């Protein structure tokens, strides 16, 4: 049975969490769907409370893995502190799914009649601060030791509709395979005998997404990680997967300045 973090998170004053780390190590971690928080003035978007425990509101377990991985490697990270139901920072500004009106069967009443001005306000309040935080983290890394690798952390549901997904983990990429190929090879060599998705369960080329905006546009090595949610719904699994990725990524880092 899928174990999840049950509590509804409270939106902090700032919509972005920044984790300090050594920018000279050459790696920036990002978690775009880290939180299920919605501010009171948006009225929970009219969505029933139970829906905020589902993947439609956030990527279950991804934030905990990201924080622990950042600590193990001593690298910086940027995480959102707002629900993807408000606005999805892993979409381009013109993407029709930027603000979801219907998500995996759940109607989002607070988004149903949102107009261009309403979307612009959510960009200003949530999306743009996230973009600025990533830009600033990349600039800090470049100033410290040169262009960094960018790794974004996500999670996916064990089933889509009624179809079981066989992968424990997926590595997504677009045209740049410099980072994804060694990660895929290391995961396939893991003694746990993992079933590894190579650009599965989704394709990695999404125009305007975080990787496209912040890595591809700059020519930075990058990859997007998807871990199955039933494996990281609790502390034990989160620690296991953070340790696994720490072992894989550590040899790819620069020595500390």
């Amino acid at each position: 049975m899928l174990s999840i973090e049950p509590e509804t998170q409270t939106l902090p004053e700032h919509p972005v969490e920044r984790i300090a780390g050594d920018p000279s190590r050459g790696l920036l971690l990002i978690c775009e769907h880290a939180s299920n928080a919605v501010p009171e003035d948006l009225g929970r978007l009219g969505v029933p409370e139970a829906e905020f425990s589902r993947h439609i509101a956030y990527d279950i377990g991804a934030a905990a893995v990201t924080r622990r991985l950042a600590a193990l490697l001593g690298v910086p990270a940027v995480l959102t502190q707002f629900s993807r139901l408000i606005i999805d920072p892993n979409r381009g500004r013109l993407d029709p799914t930027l603000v979801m009106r219907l998500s995996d069967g759940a109607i989002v009443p607070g988004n149903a009649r949102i107009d261009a001005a309403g979307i612009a306000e959510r960009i200003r309040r949530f999306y743009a601060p996230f973009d600025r935080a990533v830009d600033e983290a990349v600039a800090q890394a470049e100033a410290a030791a040169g262009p960094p690798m960018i790794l974004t952390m996500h999670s996916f549901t064990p089933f889509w509709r009624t179809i079981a997904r066989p992968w424990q983990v997926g590595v997504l990429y677009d045209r740049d395979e410099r980072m994804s190929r060694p990660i895929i090879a290391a995961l396939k060599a893991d003694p746990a005998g993992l079933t590894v998705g190579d650009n599965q369960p989704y394709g990695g080329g999404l125009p305007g997404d975080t990787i496209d905006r912040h890595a591809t546009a700059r020519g930075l090595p990058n990859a997007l990680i998807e871990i199955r949610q039933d494996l990281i719904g609790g502390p034990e699994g989160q620690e296991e997967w953070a340790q696994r990725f720490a072992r894989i990524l550590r040899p790819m880092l620069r020595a500390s300045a």
Side-chain angles (χ1 to χ4, degrees):
M1 180 178 292
L2 178 61
S3 173
I4 64 170
E5 303 150 5
E7 75 281 357
T8 295
Q9 300 168 26
T10 301
L11 189 76
E13 183 177 348
H14 197 281
V16 181
E17 176 186 357
R18 295 175 174 86
I19 295 176
D22 183 352
S24 71
R25 302 304 307 277
L27 174 64
L28 172 63
L29 301 176
I30 300 173
C31 187
E32 300 101 314
H33 302 146
S35 173
N36 62 4
V38 177
E40 291 184 6
D41 64 283
L42 292 182
R44 308 297 287 162
L45 299 171
V47 174
E49 202 61 36
E51 300 289 1
F52 287 97
S53 293
R54 296 181 59 210
H55 71 98
I56 64 170
Y58 72 131
D59 277 359
I60 294 164
V65 174
T66 303
R67 293 188 189 102
R68 180 61 176 143
L69 182 58
L72 288 168
L73 296 177
V75 299
V78 176
L79 300 85
T80 56
Q81 298 193 109
F82 59 88
S83 174
R84 66 195 299 180
L85 290 175
I86 298 172
I87 192 167
D88 192 336
N90 197 37
R91 297 293 184 269
R93 295 188 183 214
L94 300 180
D95 192 303
T97 64
L98 179 66
V99 176
M100 294 290 284
R101 293 161 173 81
L102 178 69
S103 183
D104 194 16
I107 296 171
V108 187
N111 295 344
R113 294 181 176 83
I114 193 168
D115 58 12
I119 292 174
E121 173 59 16
R122 292 195 192 175
I123 289 173
R124 182 199 67 79
R125 186 175 174 187
F126 302 100
Y127 187 106
F130 166 78
D131 258 7
R132 285 195 298 271
V134 174
D135 285 339
E136 290 166 4
V138 171
Q140 289 169 0
E142 289 177 331
M149 301 177 291
I150 292 183
L151 188 70
T152 67
M153 304 297 294
H154 296 255
S155 66
F156 66 97
T157 57
F159 291 84
W160 181 245
R161 309 303 184 189
T162 59
I163 300 172
R165 287 165 153 169
W167 316 280
Q168 287 87 26
V169 62
V171 182
L172 280 55
Y173 53 90
D174 190 5
R175 299 181 298 275
D176 188 340
E177 301 182 29
R178 287 175 290 172
M179 191 176 187
S180 60
R181 280 295 147 213
I183 294 175
I184 290 170
L187 287 168
K188 287 184 174 180
D190 192 288
L194 302 172
T195 300
V196 181
D198 185 334
N199 250 352
Q200 295 284 356
Y202 313 104
L206 181 61
D209 70 355
T210 302
I211 289 291
D212 191 39
R213 297 196 308 272
H214 296 286
T216 302
R218 294 181 168 98
L220 302 179
N222 62 82
L224 186 156
I225 301 301
E226 292 272 3
I227 306 171
R228 209 173 66 203
Q229 290 173 357
D230 58 317
L231 303 177
I232 56 171
E236 184 176 342
Q238 293 158 4
E239 179 69 17
E240 175 186 345
W241 281 91
Q243 292 283 354
R244 174 174 284 119
F245 275 104
R247 291 193 298 271
I248 291 170
L249 294 167
R250 197 170 281 118
M252 300 171 67
L253 301 183
R254 300 188 188 107
S256 295

